[in-house]
Amino acid sequence: MKTDFIRSFFPGLQSEWTFMDNAGGSQILQPVLDRILEFYLTSNVQLGATYQPSVEATGRVERSQSVMARYINAASPEEIIMGSSTSLLLRILASNLGKWFPRGSEIIVTDCDHEANIGCWRELEKSGFNIKTWKTDPVTLMLNPADLERLLSRQTRLVAFTHASNILGTVNPIRQIVKLIHSCGALACADGVAYAPHRMIDVQDWNVDFYVFSFYKTYGPHYAMLYGKKDILLGLPGNNHYFIGKDQSPYKFQPGNVNFEFSWGMTGLPDYFDQLFAHHFPESGELSGRERLAKVFGMIQEHENGLSHRLRTFLRTKPGVRIIGQETASENRVPTISFVVGQRDSESIVREVDKHKIGIRFGDFYARRLIEALGLAAQNGVVRVSMVHYNTVDEVDRLIRALDNIF
Ligand SMILES: Cc1ncc(COP(=O)(O)O)c(C=O)c1O
C-alpha cells in the first residue's frame, strides 16, 4: 500500500506529530474539507425554497443521504439519520424505542461498550424496562455469543452491543450475533464507531436493525450517522414537530435539521476510497462500486494488520507489559492496542510518550464499566495506541523506540 499517496489526502499529517489516538479522533480528508468549503461558498442557504441556490443546497443534502446509504449498503436513503454525535443519535433512538416497546420488555446491554450504547438503554429501567447485562468473558476478553443465548428470552426486545471494542480492538461476529438476536424476535443495535474507520460496512449483509458511527473518527468532521431499517423507522414516533409526518424519515428524527455542510462534506469519503482504488488497482477492469470498496478495504486491513502485529510483537517481549485484548490474533481485530505495565499509572507512561511527539492516550475511553470490571481503574485505565491505515511502519518503530526507553 502506498502510504505516501494516502497521506497526501490528509493535510493534518504534515504536522511533526505522529497521530496514534485515532480511535479518539482521526485526521480529516482534504476531499471532505473541499466539499464543506464548497457548500459554504456556493449554497449556504436554507433548504427547501424555490430559488436556485436553495434548490442546489437541498439537492446536496439529499444526495449525501443517498451516497451514505450506498456506502454502508443500506436499502434506502430514508434509512440514514444524521446528527451531531453517536451519543446523541443513540439517545434519540432510545427515546423512540422506549415509547414503542411494551412496558416490561427486556433490553440487553454489554459491559464493554462505550457508555453511549449502554447508558441510554439502562435509563429505560426507570420507565419499567428490565435491563440485563451481557458480560465480557474475563478470560478471553471477548463477548461470547453462548452467554448472550442464555440471557435472551421471549421478552427481549433489543440487544445493544459493540461491533468493535474501542479498548480491546476485538471485532465481534456481528452476523452471528444478529442472527441469534433475531431468533428470539428482538432487534439488534450495533455501535460501529470503532469499526467504521477500518473495514467495509454492509448493513444488509449483516441484517443489523440499527448501526451507528461517528464521522470524526472516520476521516470527517464532528458529526455522525445512524442507520435503521426503514420499516422499523417508519413505525417510530420521531422527535420532531407535531406537523412533521410519521412517514418523513429521516427528518422526523432530526429536529432542527442536520448540519448541511458536514452532510455534503462526507460525500468526499467514498470519493477518497475510489481514488485509492484507481491508484492501487489500475488493472482491475470493470468492477462495481462495492467490489472496488471491498478491494480497498482488503488492502487497508492487510496494512493495518502489519502495523498491529509489529507493535504487539514488541509489547509481548517486554516483561510486565500486559496487552488488554487479543494478544496474538490479527484477524477479527482492529489496530487499537491497549496495555498496562505492571501496576504503573498509565498516565505516567503516556506523558513520557508525549515528549517524543507521538499522540497516544490513557484512560477508560468511556468504556468505564469494562475498565472497572477488569480492575484497572486505580491505575488510570489502560495505555491505548490506536492506528489507522495512514500510519506507517516507521511511525510504529518510532513509538517502539520511545516505549523501549520508558519500560
Ligand atoms: C466505540 C465508541 N462508541 C461511541 C462513541 C461516542 O461517539 P460520539 O463522540 O460521536 O458521541 C465513541 C467515542 O469515543 C466510541 O469510541
Side-chain angles (χ1 to χ4, degrees):
M1 197 175 83
K2 297 167 186 158
T3 41
D4 283 350
F5 179 73
I6 282 168
R7 290 172 73 87
S8 71
F9 284 85
F10 294 90
L13 295 179
Q14 303 303 319
S15 154
E16 57 185 340
W17 279 83
T18 289
F19 295 109
M20 291 191 170
D21 178 28
N22 296 290
S26 65
Q27 292 300 305
I28 194 166
L29 279 162
Q30 187 66 51
V32 172
L33 287 169
D34 291 343
R35 298 278 163 98
I36 294 171
L37 194 62
E38 179 183 42
F39 193 95
Y40 277 128
L41 296 180
T42 61
S43 62
N44 190 26
V45 295
Q46 182 58 303
L47 308 191
T50 49
Y51 58 95
Q52 195 280 329
S54 176
V55 172
E56 174 78 290
T58 309
R60 283 177 172 172
V61 172
E62 284 173 0
R63 281 208 295 289
S64 76
Q65 301 282 137
S66 310
V67 167
M68 289 325 291
R70 261 199 312 281
Y71 182 68
I72 65 163
N73 199 26
S76 140
E78 291 155 282
E79 300 183 318
I80 308 298
I81 303 163
M82 305 249 191
S84 64
S85 68
T86 286
S87 303
L88 188 69
L89 287 171
L90 284 171
R91 284 194 172 267
I92 286 175
L93 182 62
S95 79
N96 276 275
L97 291 176
K99 291 178 200 139
W100 196 55
F101 290 145
R103 292 277 159 117
S105 302
E106 283 173 10
I107 291 177
I108 300 177
V109 294
T110 76
D111 66 350
C112 64
D113 268 77
H114 184 287
E115 192 61 18
N117 200 26
I118 301 178
C120 60
W121 305 115
R122 294 204 83 94
E123 281 174 27
L124 291 177
E125 197 161 26
K126 291 183 220 135
S127 317
F129 288 82
N130 181 19
I131 314 294
K132 292 178 172 173
T133 308
W134 179 15
K135 289 194 180 146
T136 309
D137 185 309
V139 178
T140 61
L141 293 183
M142 311 259 288
L143 282 174
N144 183 353
D147 293 335
L148 173 63
E149 205 164 355
R150 279 189 281 279
L151 293 173
L152 286 166
S153 81
R154 286 281 148 207
Q155 276 67 50
T156 312
R157 289 285 177 277
L158 181 103
V159 180
F161 65 99
T162 185
H163 192 181
S165 160
N166 67 344
I167 289 189
L168 307 169
T170 317
V171 177
N172 292 305
I174 188 166
R175 205 183 293 108
Q176 183 193 353
I177 293 171
V178 170
K179 203 165 166 202
L180 188 57
I181 294 167
H182 286 169
S183 71
C184 80
L187 301 177
C189 173
D191 176 342
V193 173
Y195 180 90
H198 308 284
R199 304 279 188 273
M200 186 158 125
I201 298 173
D202 194 332
V203 289
Q204 288 194 81
D205 179 42
W206 304 332
N207 201 15
V208 67
D209 301 290
F210 306 107
Y211 196 82
V212 63
F213 67 98
S214 306
F215 291 138
Y216 71 100
K217 303 182 199 260
T218 311
Y219 320 119
H222 282 85
Y223 199 43
M225 62 160 272
L226 167 69
Y227 158 82
K229 278 186 187 157
K230 185 173 162 186
D231 56 336
I232 306 172
L233 293 183
L234 290 180
L236 298 178
N239 310 71
N240 217 328
H241 309 305
Y242 73 92
F243 46 81
I244 307 300
K246 226 178 157 193
D247 57 342
Q248 283 182 266
S249 183
Y251 190 35
K252 68 176 178 178
F253 303 106
Q254 298 172 161
N257 223 329
V258 293
N259 182 309
F260 308 152
E261 54 275 27
F262 288 172
S263 292
W264 181 237
M266 283 316 295
T267 63
L269 180 71
D271 275 7
Y272 161 67
F273 288 123
D274 235 9
Q275 290 193 60
L276 292 196
F277 174 80
H279 190 79
H280 290 87
F281 305 101
E283 313 294 340
S284 280
E286 281 297 296
L287 294 179
S288 70
R290 298 293 298 169
E291 286 167 336
R292 291 199 298 274
L293 200 56
K295 268 190 152 321
V296 169
F297 273 109
M299 173 181 79
I300 285 176
Q301 180 168 353
E302 205 180 311
H303 174 71
E304 289 185 350
N305 283 353
L307 302 179
S308 170
H309 183 258
R310 201 174 182 89
L311 181 60
R312 282 180 290 121
T313 304
F314 160 75
L315 290 172
R316 287 210 316 278
T317 64
K318 292 284 132 187
V321 172
R322 180 158 61 102
I323 295 176
I324 307 298
Q326 295 283 296
E327 276 197 28
T328 48
S330 282
E331 291 311 309
N332 303 325
R333 203 189 193 302
V334 293
T336 297
I337 298 155
S338 297
F339 62 89
V340 289
V341 186
Q343 303 298 317
R344 273 171 76 175
D345 184 334
S346 293
E347 175 173 0
S348 67
I349 293 157
V350 171
R351 286 198 178 278
E352 284 301 313
V353 174
D354 289 348
K355 294 176 188 162
H356 297 261
K357 294 203 175 341
I358 301 171
I360 60 169
R361 202 179 186 93
F362 69 92
D364 62 30
F365 309 100
Y366 284 16
R368 182 160 299 178
R369 294 170 202 268
L370 177 66
I371 291 298
E372 283 173 355
L374 296 175
L376 300 172
Q379 64 189 103
N380 254 326
V382 293
V383 178
R384 185 181 75 178
V385 179
S386 56
M387 297 176 283
V388 290
H389 66 292
Y390 55 59
N391 288 119
T392 64
V393 172
D394 279 354
E395 287 182 318
V396 176
D397 288 346
R398 201 176 313 149
L399 175 65
I400 287 174
R401 281 195 299 277
L403 290 173
D404 217 9
N405 284 331
I406 297 164
F407 292 158

